[in-house]
């Protein structure tokens, strides 16, 4: 299952005038950048729904500023506070998982799915069923249940647009009408903050060091994933879900400058690359205006100022997450779901200071070795596997954390 070429040919007049939008994860980096773009062209958009996990204060500010019809906080304990902060406004307030799913089921033109982790799976499925244009920044949903999500995209006539800079880059330069002429896709990776570290140095890296990405401003979870390069492993699986190529046709190349966001190599030797300054508002803007391009005054790429572009093969010894992701995809069945769930638990443990940085990949590998790999035939199966994998990861992590 892949993005259909037909989804790239929707007429710009399908949604004339103001585009109605919902943003899930509006207080995270993706959501904030999306609203920044909307604020620059308020006449083109009407904000219907905004959601957040914990940041109730910012969610309320955003809802008032953009005149949202509904604000949803995932943490039900924050409902009363959100209700108070939006008192006197016309904004409808809701809280909890069911409220998120209900909000994602609202009929709008365009949905940004920026919820981090497997928590974004249920809202993703609900949004797809509305047949809207879906800008997906939640790679975990496709990693855990890509075939099911993409089957629903086809069934309900939705349009799935990748927001990750790498997949967005491929989407822009991939000739869907000549897929048979594609040699390979190349996902680029910055290498994260520890590219030049030795394994010995990586044993003692701190939380703050892992969060200090050299090129991108991102949330805590994705920053740590970038530091371990699990983010690129998840993106590899996501690329296999999104694009009609085999896993063997996808390579990963370390490119520290983050100027070339990804490349498509064709069988005639041509290599097409999408380039730009490292600013997530560029791919977001592409999806926000698609199939048209919006004017966006991003920092312009000055290649003379950049001076040189460098490329390296990834180091699979220092960054075993890349190997684990490929192995999980090759194993199939529940392995990608186990990979994602155990990684989320391990990253959370590292951020809390319970384990060391290098323990993250070790916990994931141990979970993949110990878990029961089984077929997942329904969304309920995926949720059950996710919960069981988290329990297993917590057990593995507890045995490690006592030694930290």
């Amino acid at each position: 299952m892949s993005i259909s070429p037909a989804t790239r040919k929707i007429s710009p007049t399908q949604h004339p005038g103001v585009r109605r939008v919902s943003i899930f994860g509006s207080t995270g980096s993706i959501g904030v950048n999306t609203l920044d773009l909307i604020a620059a062209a308020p006449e083109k958009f009407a904000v219907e729904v905004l959601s957040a996990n914990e940041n109730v204060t910012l969610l309320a500010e955003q809802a008032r500023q953009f005149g949202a019809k509904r604000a949803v906080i995932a943490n039900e304990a924050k409902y009363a506070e959100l209700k108070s902060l939006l008192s006197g406004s016309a904004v409808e307030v809701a809280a909890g998982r069911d409220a998120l799913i209900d909000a994602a089921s609202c009929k709008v033109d365009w949905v940004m799915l920026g919820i981090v982790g497997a928590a974004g799976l249920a809202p993703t499925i609900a949004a797809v069923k509305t047949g809207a244009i879906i800008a997906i920044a939640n790679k975990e949903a496709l990693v855990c249940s890509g075939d099911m999500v993409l089957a629903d995209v086809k069934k309900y006539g939705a349009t799935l647009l990748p927001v990750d800079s790498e997949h967005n880059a491929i989407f822009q330069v991939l000739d869907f009408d000549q897929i048979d002429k594609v040699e390979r896709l190349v996902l680029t990776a910055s290498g994260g903050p520890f590219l030049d570290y030795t394994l010995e140095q990586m044993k003692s890296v701190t939380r703050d060091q892992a969060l200090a990405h050299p090129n991108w401003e991102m949330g805590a979870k994705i920053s740590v994933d970038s530091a371990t390069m699990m983010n690129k492993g998840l993106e590899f699986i996501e690329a296999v879900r999104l694009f009609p190529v085999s896993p063997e046709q996808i390579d990963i190349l370390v490119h520290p400058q983050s100027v070339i966001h990804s490349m498509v190599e064709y069988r005639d030797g041509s290599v097409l690359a999408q380039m730009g300054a490292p600013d997530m508002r560029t791919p977001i803007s592409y999806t926000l205006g698609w199939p048209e391009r919006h004017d966006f005054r991003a920092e312009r790429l000055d290649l003379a100022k950049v001076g040189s572009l460098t490329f390296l093969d990834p180091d699979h010894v220092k960054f075993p997450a890349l190997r684990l992701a490929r192995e999980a995809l090759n194993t199939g069945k529940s392995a990608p779901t186990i990979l994602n769930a155990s990684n989320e638990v391990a990253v959370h443990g590292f951020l809390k200071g319970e384990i060391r940085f290098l323990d993250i990949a070790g916990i994931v590998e141990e979970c993949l070795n110990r878990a029961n790999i089984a077929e997942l035939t329904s969304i309920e199966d995926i949720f059950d596997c996710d919960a069981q994998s988290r329990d297993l990861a917590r057990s593995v992590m507890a045995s490690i954390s006592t030694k930290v």
Side-chain angles (χ1 to χ4, degrees), residues 124-166:
T124 297
I125 293 170
V128 165
K129 289 181 178 179
T130 69
I133 297 173
I134 310 295
I136 185 163
N138 179 292
K139 62 179 65 65
E140 293 87 354
L142 291 178
V143 168
C144 294
S145 60
D147 289 344
M148 295 181 198
V149 170
L150 291 167
D152 278 349
V153 167
K154 183 177 181 179
K155 178 179 179 180
Y156 294 98
T159 301
L160 197 64
L161 302 176
V163 174
D164 274 343
S165 60
E166 297 82 2

Side-chain angles (χ1 to χ4, degrees), residues 100-124:
L100 276 177
I101 296 171
D102 182 62
S105 301
C106 292
K107 185 68 177 178
V108 295
D109 301 312
W110 186 92
V111 180
M112 170 58 79
L113 290 166
I115 298 174
V116 176
L121 176 56
T124 297

Side-chain angles (χ1 to χ4, degrees), residues 58-97:
L58 180 55
L59 177 62
E61 291 174 1
Q62 292 173 337
R64 286 185 181 276
Q65 178 183 350
F66 291 91
K69 291 186 179 180
R70 188 185 307 190
V72 183
I73 190 76
N75 184 346
E76 294 186 54
K78 301 278 188 176
Y79 174 78
E81 184 179 357
L82 181 61
K83 188 78 172 175
S84 175
L85 288 169
L86 289 172
S87 176
S89 74
V91 183
E92 178 185 342
V93 175
R97 179 179 180 273

Side-chain angles (χ1 to χ4, degrees), residues 1 235-247 250 329:
M1 184 64 66
E235 287 175 4
F236 164 74
I237 297 175
E238 183 183 8
V240 175
R241 310 284 203 219
L242 284 172
F243 304 114
V245 299
S246 69
I250 302 175
L329 181 67

